[in-house]
Amino acid sequence: MTVSLLALDYSRPIQPLFAQASRAGSVHSVFRHAVNITLDDTMLALLSSELPRMPNSARLPPVVAEELLHGLRPGMQVWIGSASLRIPARDFSLHLPQTPPWEPRPGIADYRWSRKTALHHIRLLAHHLAAQPQRGGLAPLIGPLLLGQPAPETPLSRMALPALRMLALASWRRDSAGVAEATHGLAGLGPGLTPSGDDALAGFAAVMTLLSPYLSADAAPRDDIAATIARVARPRTTALSAVLLAHAAQGEVAEHLGNLLLALALPAEVSEAVLHAANHVLSFGANSGGDTLLGMLLALRALEGEID
Amino acid sequence: MVIHALLKRNTYYDSIALMSVAQAVKDLPGVVDVGAVMATSINCELLQNSDLLPVAFLAEQQTPPGPEDLLIVVRASDEAQAQAALAAAEQRLTSRGDRGATDSAAPLPVRSLELALQHDKTANLALISVTGEHAWLEAEQALRHGLHVFLFSDNVSIEQEQRLKALAVKNGLLLMGPDCGTAIINGVGLGFSNVAPRGSIGIVGASGTGMQQLICLIAASGMGISQAIGTGGRDLSEAIGGVMMRSGLALLANDPQTEVIVLVSKPPAERVASEILAAAQLAKPVVVVFLGTAPEHFATVAGKAHLARTLTGGAELAVSLAGGDRTRVPGEGTLHKYNLAAERAKLASSQRYIRALYSGGTLCDEAMLLLSEQVGAVASNIPLRPEWALAAGETFRGHTALDLGSDEFTRGRPHPMIDPALRLQYLARAAQDPETTVILMDIVLGFCAHPNPAAAHVPAISQARATAAAAGRSLPVIISLCGAAGDPQRLSMQRKALEAAGALVYESNVAAASAAASFVERA
C-alpha cells in the first residue's frame, strides 16, 4: 500500500517542480536527516524538520523522515510532478500542503538599512568568529582577511587566501573577469560534500545579490557578480554545491543564513541578536557554517571599498 | 613514504562524517597525513600541494575522478600501514551506514520504553510524544512500569484518558496530559517551558500557555517555581472530573518546597470546579484562576481559596502570598510605559477594530475576555459566545481574535510558536485592512519555541506598519511577550528587537490586551 504524506513545509523554488507533468529523477545522496534528489539539472532536498529550511527543501516530521530515509538508496527512481513526489521502490508519495510556501529570499527590503550599524555588527562578528576555536575549512581566514591577523600556514590557506582577496577586490571594482578568475580558485576547493570554497562563495554571492544595493559604499547592485560566481563554479564542483550556489546567486539562502542577514539591520544595541544568529549558522555542518560566514563577511567588507 | 588512495564513485558523506573518519585514520600508527575530499580538479591541486596526490593511482583509473567522487588518500610510512589505514577508513565509513551515522562504538539508539529503562534504571518519568493513535499504549506501558508520564501527544480519546488517569491514580503516579504542553518537574522543563528559578510557588495547570504566563510573571518578580504540573486541557471537564488536578494539588500540598499553590484552567465544568475548590481548602494558600469565570461565581464555595480573574492577577496574588513584592510583577502597572495617547492621536478615522493574532489558546481566551468587557463582541475561531464565531472563509469581522495554534490552523504545519509563517500572513492581511486599528499578538519564548522569534517577526511588523503608513494610517502593533530572563532566546534581546521595529511590548497579556482596548471606542 502506498504511504501518502503531506510535507510540513516547502520552499517556493520547488513548487514549480510539483506543478509540472511528472518526470523521472533519482535519489542522489542519503544522510541521516536528509535526502537529495536530482531532477534534470536541479536538485531538491527532503529534510527532517530538525534541520533549517533550505532554498530547495521540503521538510517532514522527524519520525517520518527517519522512517523514510532508512530505506532509501542512491540511484532509486523518483517521480516528481503532477502534484506529488513518488518513490516507487518505497511505495511512498509526498504532497505539498495547501499552504503558502516558505520564501527563501529574505525580505531585505522590509528593513531600514544603515551602513554604520551594519559595519558595527560586521566588526563585532569578525572578532567573535576569529575568537572561536580553530576549525577546519576556511573560517580560520576570517582573522587574516578582516582583522590583519597572520594567516595559518596550510596548503588550503595558501591556495584560498589569494583567491579570496581577488574575489573581494574584483567584486568592489565590478570586474567580472577578476571575479571569474577568483571563482576558478575557490570552486570545489576543500573538504566537504559542499567544499569549503563553495560555501564561502555562496555566502559571498548571497550578500552581493541581497545587500549590495543597501550597504555598498557606491550603492551599486552587484547581482551580476553573484551570477558570474554561480556560472563559473557550476562545472567545477559537486552537483549539490552548484545547485545551492545558483540559489544563493538568486538571493535564496538557508533559513539560518537569511535570519543572520536580516539581523544585520537590527540596532547596534542588540548586537547580541546578531551573534546569536551567527552561532546558528556556525553550528551547521562540520565546516559549512564557518565557511559561509567567511564568505558573507568578506562580501560585506568588499562592499566598503578596496581591500588591502 | 608511500601514498595510497581509495576512490568511491558517486558517493556522498556529510562533512562531519568525512572529518571524523579522516581524523580517526590520521591517528593510526605510521600514518603521516590523510585527505578525504570530493575529487574536484582544484582539490586534486590541493592534494598535490599537500604532498598527497596519488599520481600512480589516478593514472590507473580508466575514467578520471570528478566532482561527484570521493577520494581518500593516505600518506604513511610503509605499504602495510597505508593499506591498513585505507581499510580502516573504508570500514569506518561502512559501519556508519550510508548516512553518516554516529560513531560505530556508540550505543544503539533507544527505540522503545523497555530499552530506555534498561539504559537508565533510575528513570521515573517518561515523556511521550508519538502519533496520537499509539500514544495511549505507550503511556499505559510507562505507567505500568511505575513511571510518571508527560503525555505531549494529542488525539487520545476521552475513554483512553479516563482509563490512563485511573491507572495513574491507582499507582500513585502523575499522568500529565494528553496534549500536555508544559511542565517543570524538579527544575527540569518539559515540552514548551521557560527557564524559571526554583522557588516556593507550585502550579497545577490545565492550560499550557496559561502556565507559561504564570511562570514568566512570577519569575520576573524575582520569585521561583517549585513544581509546575500540567494536567492536559480536558482534565477539568465533566468527563475527566479534574482527576489529575486533584493529584497534583495533593502532591504540592505535601511538598515541603511549595509554600503557595496556583491552580489554572480554562473554564471548568461547574461540578468539577466546586470539587477542586473543596480540595483546595489546605493549610497552604491556594490561588485559583479559572479563566472565563468571574471569581464571584464561586464565592460561596471558594472558602480559603484565593480567586483571581486573570493570569496576571493570579501571579500577583501568588507572589504576594509567598512573601514577594507583587508590584514587581510586570502587570497592568506597566500599561502606560508607552505614550498610548500619542499613538492613538495618529489613527485615521477609518480605523475601528482590534485584530488579535494569538499562538497560545489560553492567552487568546484571556485577551478576548478582557477585550469583550471593554469593546463588546469579539469574533473568533474559538469564540466566547456561539454568535461570535467566524463563518467559514471569514478572516476578520469587527473586533477579531484568532487562535492560530488551534487544530484548523496547525493541521499539516508546525505550531505558530515554532513557525510563525502563517501568522505573519494574517498580520499582512490585517495591516492592509483600513479598519484595523491595532494588532495584538503574543510571542512565547522558552524551550521548543522558535529559536529567535524577533528575527522572524521584526521584518513582518516593519512591513505591516509600512503598508499602513503608505495608505496614510498609523498601525500600532502590541506584543504580549511571554518569556523568562533565562530563556534561550534572551528575553531582553527579543524585547529590544521588537521595540526597535516599533512594536509596543508587554510581558503581561492583560496589560497588552488593555493597551489594545485603549485604542478603540468603548462599546
Side-chain angles (χ1 to χ4, degrees):
Chain A
M1 190 180 71
T2 299
V3 176
S4 182
L5 286 173
L6 202 59
L8 277 180
D9 54 48
Y10 62 102
S11 304
R12 189 255 308 146
I14 70 165
Q15 197 171 23
L17 302 179
F18 282 73
Q20 64 197 5
S22 198
R23 285 184 300 151
S26 63
V27 172
H28 171 269
S29 46
V30 187
F31 304 100
R32 176 182 277 187
H33 299 297
V35 56
N36 292 309
I37 293 167
T38 49
L39 180 70
D40 300 334
D41 58 351
T42 191
M43 198 176 287
L44 67 87
L46 300 184
L47 308 179
S48 160
S49 60
E50 295 155 282
L51 296 181
R53 289 181 276 213
M54 300 294 286
N56 63 337
S57 71
R59 295 195 308 174
L60 304 168
V63 66
V64 174
E66 186 179 3
E67 181 62 29
L68 170 68
L69 299 183
H70 184 67
L72 292 184
R73 296 288 176 270
M76 277 182 176
Q77 193 174 57
V78 181
W79 288 90
I80 305 172
S82 305
S84 72
L85 179 155
R86 291 178 294 113
I87 305 178
R90 292 282 288 149
D91 276 342
F92 168 82
S93 83
L94 178 78
H95 302 262
L96 301 182
Q98 296 293 320
T99 50
W102 174 67
E103 176 52 61
R105 187 177 164 112
I108 299 290
D110 300 337
Y111 276 71
R112 268 175 293 177
W113 291 92
S114 148
R115 279 181 59 217
K116 189 178 161 201
T117 307
L119 272 176
H120 168 86
H121 291 316
I122 293 161
R123 268 197 299 273
L124 204 70
L125 260 181
H127 283 282
H128 173 70
L129 295 169
Q132 297 296 311
Q134 287 292 304
R135 299 154 65 108
L138 298 175
L141 300 183
I142 289 174
L145 280 166
L146 298 166
L147 304 172
Q149 295 172 352
E153 278 299 315
T154 65
L156 180 62
S157 161
R158 281 194 293 271
M159 287 177 71
L161 208 48
L164 288 165
R165 287 205 169 103
M166 181 189 289
L167 181 67
L169 190 61
S171 298
W172 166 249
R173 293 178 179 170
R174 306 176 71 186
D175 162 16
S176 177
V179 170
E181 190 181 338
T183 305
H184 271 265
L186 291 166
L189 176 65
L193 175 58
T194 53
S196 292
D198 297 339
D199 289 325
L201 286 170
F204 194 96
V207 168
M208 287 295 146
T209 295
L210 292 167
L211 291 176
S212 183
Y214 301 92
L215 294 181
S216 64
D218 59 5
R222 285 179 166 78
D223 41 1
D224 56 326
I225 286 169
T228 300
I229 290 171
R231 178 177 50 77
V232 173
R234 187 174 185 94
R236 290 173 172 78
T237 190
T238 64
L240 178 59
S241 265
V243 167
L244 294 177
L245 271 166
H247 281 293
Q250 298 288 322
E252 297 161 359
V253 295
E255 186 174 16
H256 50 3
L257 180 59
N259 287 341
L260 174 58
L261 294 176
L262 292 176
L264 295 175
L266 294 178
E269 55 269 27
V270 290
S271 39
E272 270 185 19
V274 180
L275 299 185
H276 190 63
N279 287 338
H280 273 278
V281 179
L282 195 60
S283 64
F284 194 71
N287 303 315
S288 286
D291 296 330
T292 307
L293 288 170
L294 164 79
M296 183 196 103
L297 285 176
L298 184 66
L300 290 163
R301 171 64 188 84
L303 295 180
E304 278 303 301
E306 304 227 340
I307 192 165
D308 296 332
Chain B
M1 203 67 68
V2 295
I3 294 176
H4 277 244
L6 174 68
L7 182 66
K8 295 179 85 72
R9 301 258 181 202
N10 295 311
T11 301
Y12 312 95
Y13 291 89
D14 65 57
S15 317
I16 294 172
L18 287 178
M19 195 172 71
S20 155
V21 168
Q23 194 56 50
V25 172
K26 213 172 198 168
D27 291 340
L28 293 175
V31 175
V32 178
D33 204 358
V34 179
V37 292
M38 302 310 288
T40 60
S41 57
I42 199 162
N43 269 343
C44 290
E45 205 179 311
L46 176 65
L47 290 173
Q48 186 166 26
N49 291 341
S50 310
D51 296 327
L52 273 171
L53 189 68
V55 178
F57 174 84
L58 293 176
E60 288 166 9
Q61 306 302 314
Q62 284 189 340
T63 311
E68 304 302 309
D69 304 326
L70 172 63
L71 185 58
I72 301 174
V73 188
V74 171
R75 188 164 85 241
S77 305
D78 60 37
E79 291 279 340
Q81 285 168 327
Q83 293 288 6
L86 282 181
E90 179 139 39
Q91 195 273 330
R92 286 187 75 90
L93 285 173
T94 310
S95 71
R96 299 171 76 98
D98 59 353
R99 56 199 71 239
T102 49
D103 193 301
S104 57
L108 286 171
V110 170
R111 291 184 184 279
S112 70
L113 188 65
E114 286 73 16
L115 266 179
L117 285 169
Q118 282 174 26
H119 190 69
D120 185 352
K121 293 184 172 59
T122 65
N124 67 352
L125 186 146
L127 190 156
I128 294 172
S129 176
V130 297
T131 317
E133 61 191 294
H134 306 299
W136 71 272
L137 185 60
E138 295 294 331
E140 181 163 340
Q141 280 187 328
L143 290 169
R144 292 195 183 283
H145 278 95
L147 303 175
H148 299 288
V149 171
F150 179 88
L151 185 50
F152 194 71
S153 310
D154 56 5
N155 289 317
V156 174
S157 70
I158 290 271
E159 293 73 24
Q160 288 162 345
E161 181 173 347
Q162 287 169 330
R163 177 184 158 88
L164 289 170
K165 286 189 169 169
L167 182 60
V169 169
K170 183 179 162 197
N171 293 345
L173 297 167
L174 286 173
L175 185 282
M176 294 178 271
D179 200 13
C180 187
T182 301
I184 299 177
I185 305 297
N186 294 337
V188 178
L190 304 174
F192 291 94
S193 61
N194 302 90
V195 181
R198 298 296 301 273
S200 61
I201 300 174
I203 301 173
V204 188
S207 148
T209 46
M211 290 171 74
Q212 286 190 274
Q213 171 84 124
L214 281 168
I215 290 165
C216 293
L217 292 174
I218 290 167
S221 78
M223 303 297 281
I225 303 298
S226 57
Q227 310 284 350
I229 299 169
T231 66
R234 291 189 304 222
D235 193 65
L236 272 69
S237 66
E238 190 68 41
I240 305 297
V243 174
M244 242 349 94
M245 185 160 277
R246 276 180 285 157
S247 290
L249 184 60
L251 277 175
L252 295 184
N254 293 315
D255 174 26
Q257 306 303 320
T258 302
E259 293 171 11
V260 175
I261 300 170
V262 187
L263 306 180
V264 59
S265 171
K266 286 186 266 193
E270 187 85 14
R271 174 188 67 82
V272 178
S274 298
E275 287 177 7
I276 295 289
L277 287 168
Q281 307 304 309
L282 305 174
K284 295 178 183 181
V286 179
V287 176
V288 179
V289 188
F290 287 154
L291 281 175
T293 313
E296 306 80 55
H297 185 75
F298 291 115
T300 55
V301 289
K304 290 158 64 181
H306 302 261
L307 299 173
R309 196 169 65 96
T310 63
L311 297 164
T312 303
E316 287 172 343
L317 259 175
V319 166
S320 175
L321 290 164
D325 178 358
R326 65 182 295 159
T327 64
R328 292 184 64 193
V329 173
E332 286 197 84
T334 62
L335 184 59
H336 296 293
K337 66 176 177 172
Y338 303 106
N339 187 347
L340 299 177
E343 293 288 331
R344 200 160 45 237
K346 296 180 203 164
L347 296 174
S349 58
S350 67
Q351 294 180 271
R352 294 188 292 167
Y353 298 124
I354 298 166
R355 301 291 156 68
L357 307 170
Y358 270 86
S359 60
T362 302
L363 297 178
C364 186
D365 265 332
E366 185 183 52
M368 289 195 297
L369 287 164
L370 294 165
L371 292 175
S372 62
E373 286 171 8
Q374 299 188 44
V375 302
V378 180
S380 178
N381 61 321
I382 53 162
L384 295 177
R385 297 185 194 173
E387 63 270 28
W388 293 352
L390 284 168
E394 202 174 26
T395 307
F396 301 120
R397 188 179 74 226
H399 300 302
T400 304
L402 298 177
D403 171 14
L404 295 163
S406 65
D407 288 349
E408 66 266 37
F409 292 109
T410 54
R411 212 164 282 130
R413 63 161 70 236
H415 192 279
M417 282 186 206
I418 300 168
D419 179 355
L422 179 68
R423 177 158 72 164
L424 299 183
Q425 290 167 27
Y426 278 85
L427 169 62
R429 288 165 78 170
Q432 285 161 4
D433 184 345
E435 293 193 323
T436 299
T437 303
V438 57
I439 290 171
L440 171 62
M441 299 197 291
D442 63 336
I443 289 182
V444 182
L445 308 183
F447 295 117
C448 293
H450 190 287
N452 188 359
H457 284 80
V458 158
I461 291 171
S462 302
Q463 178 65 54
R465 285 168 58 79
T467 299
R473 291 178 277 120
S474 170
L475 182 59
V477 175
I478 296 173
I479 304 288
S480 167
L481 180 61
C482 180
D487 285 340
Q489 297 91 344
R490 306 269 187 93
L491 176 64
S492 60
M493 186 195 84
Q494 297 291 324
R495 188 194 304 114
K496 278 183 194 169
L498 290 164
E499 285 182 333
L504 312 176
V505 184
Y506 295 95
E507 287 172 50
S508 153
N509 190 49
V510 169
S514 297
S518 77
F519 281 88
V520 296
E521 298 290 328
R522 304 269 155 156

